[in-house]
Amino acid sequence: MRVGIIGAGQLGRMLALAGYPLGLRFEMLDPNPQACGGQVAPLTVAAFDDEAALAALARRVDLVTFEFENVPVATMAFLAGRCPVFPQPAVLEVAQDRLREKECFQELAIPTPAHRPVESRQQLAAAAAELGLPAILKTRRLGYDGKGQAVLRQAADLDAAWAGLGGTPLILEALVPFEREVSMVAVRGRDGGMQFYPLAENSHRQGILRLSRACAADPYQERAEEYTRRVMEKFAYVGVLAFEFFQVGGELVANEIAPRVHNSGHWSIEGAVTSQFENHLRAICGWPLGATTLNGPAAMINFIGELPGTPTLLAIPHLHPHAYGKSSAPGRKVGHATLCLPPGADFDGALRKLREVIGGLD
């Protein structure tokens, strides 16, 4: 079976690497000729709206998936008229618009932060007065890794935020006084069967995920699974879905979904019986899903900007490095490493030692 992947970043790269042992073959399409997925699979360099290139790809593959949620919905709809596409474009359309996404959560009785749509400076002032400050102003579309947003702590911040983000549809959200940020990574097959990974507790730096730790027997596991199940069933979803939450008091408050394999699930490559990448491929191919149980205590550390030296990483017991084949640049995810220990090992002690060696994990 040949799988087409729209986008050829590190997620597409890791999908292909997970799929080759299963006997799958891959082709990717991306406008960037240097996209790192092209190092491991044939790459068509074309714009996402190049219908001739898309049609040619559809003829060469058995089905198509995508590796980032900002691929144009029109691209996936065009492909869906020519070959099977998973996940379905309908969920992509909702996930790309923060307001529609929150309306979807509310329809499914999933708690969300208080929020208001903003399309003018006057509307921003009214929304800030209604919700109160602090609050966070976000573009409704295309923001990620802390981009396309501004924190408003006082009325004097409104002008600068509007100057930086105005002119496009926005949403103002009340700032949530969360205790933890957690994410659920789940997978649903073509037959409706589902598997759920253990919740991951996430730490960010400058809006970019830095550390994600899998949580065995988390008290919020069941609730996160239920909220995620509601979304997947609504869309008859096929593939891996990530759902990010804020823990506030005794409740989980929805942040956002990502209809794809997700950074906070990278620990599963070594840390779970079946990785999120393999399970995504199993799901979209109509194959049986794999077990999502932990192999032992596990965490994922992102490398932002540049990679530590490979010998340094290899000298750390139970650490598994993954370089993405990308050049160094500020704010760029260039690799990650998974810390996977035997059951019962001193995970906190190992994490402290890792901090000492490579730093920057706090």
Side-chain angles (χ1 to χ4, degrees):
M1 189 178 295
R2 188 172 291 272
V3 177
I5 303 177
I6 304 302
Q10 64 263 24
L11 299 180
R13 176 190 177 100
M14 286 185 274
L15 279 169
L17 292 174
Y20 287 132
L22 304 179
L24 296 172
R25 293 295 178 265
F26 296 87
E27 291 197 33
M28 302 184 189
L29 184 146
D30 196 293
N32 178 10
Q34 303 303 318
C36 63
Q39 298 169 6
V40 301
L43 173 64
T44 296
V45 179
F48 292 130
D49 60 358
D50 185 335
E51 293 188 350
L54 293 171
L57 176 69
R59 289 192 294 269
R60 294 193 301 269
V61 301
D62 297 291
L63 57 89
V64 171
T65 189
F66 51 87
E67 61 112 38
F68 73 113
E69 69 267 35
N70 287 328
V71 61
V73 174
T75 295
M76 303 315 299
F78 178 87
L79 287 164
R82 289 157 176 80
C83 66
V85 168
F86 302 108
Q88 302 86 328
V91 69
L92 187 65
E93 192 167 10
V94 170
Q96 286 182 354
D97 186 320
R98 288 188 171 92
L99 181 61
R100 291 190 61 185
E101 186 178 51
K102 285 183 169 53
E103 291 171 345
C104 173
F105 297 156
Q106 290 175 326
E107 175 190 332
L108 297 172
I110 300 171
T112 69
H115 58 277
R116 297 291 184 273
V118 171
E119 296 190 4
S120 69
R121 175 64 176 82
Q122 183 179 7
Q123 203 171 26
L124 174 59
E130 188 173 358
L131 295 180
L133 299 180
I136 184 164
L137 185 66
K138 301 178 180 180
T139 57
R140 281 174 54 175
R141 300 176 62 86
L142 298 179
Y144 65 96
D145 286 348
K147 300 176 176 67
Q149 56 186 258
V151 177
L152 311 179
R153 301 194 180 279
Q154 54 190 3
D157 295 334
L158 270 64
D159 283 335
W162 180 254
L165 299 176
T168 188
L170 304 172
I171 183 172
L172 186 70
E173 299 177 14
L175 204 63
V176 177
F178 61 86
E179 297 154 43
R180 292 192 302 163
E181 291 181 78
V182 297
S183 58
M184 165 60 61
V185 174
V187 59
R188 184 177 185 273
R190 290 199 201 182
D191 63 356
M194 301 184 203
Q195 291 281 353
F196 300 88
Y197 287 89
L199 268 178
E201 182 173 332
N202 302 321
S203 301
H204 293 76
R205 189 173 67 186
Q206 297 178 332
I208 303 175
L209 182 65
R210 182 60 169 168
L211 177 67
S212 190
R213 178 173 179 176
C215 303
D218 191 282
Y220 290 87
Q221 178 78 23
E222 185 174 342
R223 193 169 310 177
E225 289 185 12
E226 174 56 29
Y227 290 161
T228 306
R229 180 181 290 108
R230 293 178 194 177
V231 173
M232 293 197 297
E233 288 181 344
K234 173 181 173 60
F235 292 100
Y237 191 87
V238 176
V240 163
L241 176 83
F243 202 153
E244 297 181 348
F245 299 97
F246 301 116
Q247 180 194 322
V248 184
E251 184 54 276
L252 291 181
V253 176
N255 181 21
E256 62 185 14
I257 56 171
R260 54 169 172 81
V261 288
H262 195 257
N263 197 180
S264 66
H266 288 359
W267 62 267
S268 66
I269 297 174
E270 290 87 15
V273 173
T274 313
S275 78
Q276 65 164 342
F277 299 99
E278 180 178 328
N279 254 337
H280 182 78
L281 296 168
R282 287 178 177 225
I284 66 176
C285 291
W287 296 346
L289 301 180
T292 53
T293 48
L294 278 167
N295 290 325
M300 185 279 308
I301 303 96
N302 265 339
F303 298 129
I304 311 299
E306 61 181 359
L307 286 166
T310 300
T312 299
L313 297 176
L314 295 179
I316 301 172
H318 308 293
L319 191 71
H320 305 270
H322 295 260
Y324 300 156
K326 298 164 72 173
S327 59
S328 300
R332 175 176 291 168
K333 295 174 183 174
V334 293
H336 77 268
T338 308
L339 182 64
C340 296
L341 298 182
D346 180 9
F347 189 83
D348 289 330
L351 202 56
R352 282 194 299 272
K353 183 174 182 181
L354 185 60
R355 284 187 171 95
E356 294 170 4
V357 174
I358 65 176
L361 299 185
D362 299 308

